[in-house]
Amino acid sequence: MERVVTVEKAQKLFGKEFIGIEQLKPFISRIGLDIEDISVPLIDKYSYSMLEEAANNGYILILCIDNVAGQRITLEFLRSKFGIDPEKSEPCFYNQDWYLDEVFFTDSVIDTQWYLIKKEVVESSRSQPPSDLIHSGLNFPPAVLCAYTFFAYCFANEEYLWFHDFVWTQDVDHNDDRIYVGKYHDIDGKNKNGFSIHRYLSLRDCYGAISFVK
């Protein structure tokens, strides 16, 4: 089994769904950092047969880096670079502030490594509770990986991922409410464009009902 796959072989397998160091250059340049000093890891996390299967099943192979020139790449960092106003520049984040002090937003980073991440939402997962999907064996990606992939892919291919879809992540907020991200464009046109970050509120004792007399 081939444990180290060359960049050339991987790129041939994935085509435009391959985001390596060359494809990352517009993204890294956009956030004002220097890519020249990055040490590219080997593609040894996945075998050739695993990569071949993933390429045939709609996955993106992307090189992720945890920092550039000492700057840690977190959701907080990405938001500071891409902003929250689509009238100034796109792509951008959707204008929200509830998560600004959450650990998953300020501190979570991804390892400098190659990752496989599904390009399209799994159709059978639509409208299913996240707990059921986890129980079924689906592995949710970190929110920062989703955002990193979204912006990197956009600059590499001029295409928005998850344009009308939200995707579940492995992150939770301080109340253990599940984080979901994506849906860059509101199909109804009521909200401005932007990469969204939301939380799936779990039912707790503080949720209840009151009645009123009609």
Side-chain angles (χ1 to χ4, degrees):
M1 181 172 62
E2 188 176 355
R3 287 308 306 177
V4 178
V5 181
T6 65
V7 167
E8 292 74 20
K9 282 187 176 181
Q11 188 168 4
K12 186 176 180 179
L13 274 178
F14 285 87
K16 77 180 187 70
E17 314 306 344
F18 174 87
I19 308 294
I21 194 69
E22 289 300 317
Q23 293 75 20
L24 282 175
K25 284 184 177 179
F27 164 66
I28 297 299
S29 176
R30 173 62 176 76
I31 57 181
L33 299 176
D34 186 3
I35 203 170
E36 299 303 324
D37 296 330
I38 295 174
S39 179
V40 180
L42 297 173
I43 307 177
D44 58 1
K45 186 178 180 181
Y46 312 105
S47 68
Y48 183 84
S49 61
M50 291 172 65
L51 292 174
E52 188 174 36
E53 181 179 359
N56 291 330
N57 284 280
Y59 280 81
I60 298 166
L61 179 63
I62 185 167
L63 171 62
C64 292
I65 49 180
D66 63 5
N67 75 89
V68 177
Q71 175 64 63
R72 298 168 67 245
I73 297 181
T74 61
L75 283 170
E76 182 178 39
F77 171 78
L78 292 173
R79 188 179 188 268
S80 72
K81 293 298 181 179
F82 290 105
I84 54 175
D85 188 352
E87 295 181 2
K88 289 184 177 180
S89 66
E90 290 192 74
C92 62
F93 281 78
Y94 183 67
N95 188 8
Q96 302 160 284
D97 61 9
W98 67 265
Y99 51 70
L100 296 183
D101 293 325
E102 294 286 346
V103 171
F104 79 87
F105 178 75
T106 60
D107 294 347
S108 296
V109 295
I110 41 181
D111 294 331
T112 299
Q113 186 56 271
W114 295 88
Y115 290 89
L116 287 170
I117 184 168
K118 198 89 160 80
K119 182 179 180 181
E120 306 287 350
V121 167
V122 177
E123 285 300 319
S124 61
S125 72
R126 294 186 183 278
S127 301
Q128 301 299 313
S131 57
D132 290 355
L133 296 173
I134 292 172
H135 184 71
S136 73
L138 279 180
N139 293 317
F140 297 159
V144 65
L145 174 58
C146 292
Y148 178 104
T149 302
F150 172 86
F151 286 99
Y153 193 92
C154 181
F155 281 93
N157 292 318
E158 297 183 347
E159 178 184 343
Y160 293 114
L161 297 174
W162 315 307
F163 195 55
H164 292 137
D165 289 322
F166 289 117
V167 294
W168 296 111
T169 77
Q170 65 181 230
D171 293 287
V172 295
D173 69 3
H174 69 282
N175 284 322
D176 285 331
D177 288 327
R178 179 74 50 185
I179 305 304
Y180 58 99
V181 301
K183 196 178 182 183
Y184 190 80
H185 178 72
D186 181 4
I187 196 170
D188 296 324
K190 293 183 178 180
N191 297 313
K192 291 183 177 181
N193 286 349
F195 183 85
S196 300
I197 303 173
H198 295 292
R199 52 186 166 187
Y200 182 67
L201 299 178
S202 303
L203 290 179
R204 291 184 286 272
D205 286 345
C206 60
Y207 291 85
I210 59 174
S211 64
F212 82 110
V213 179
K214 293 184 179 181

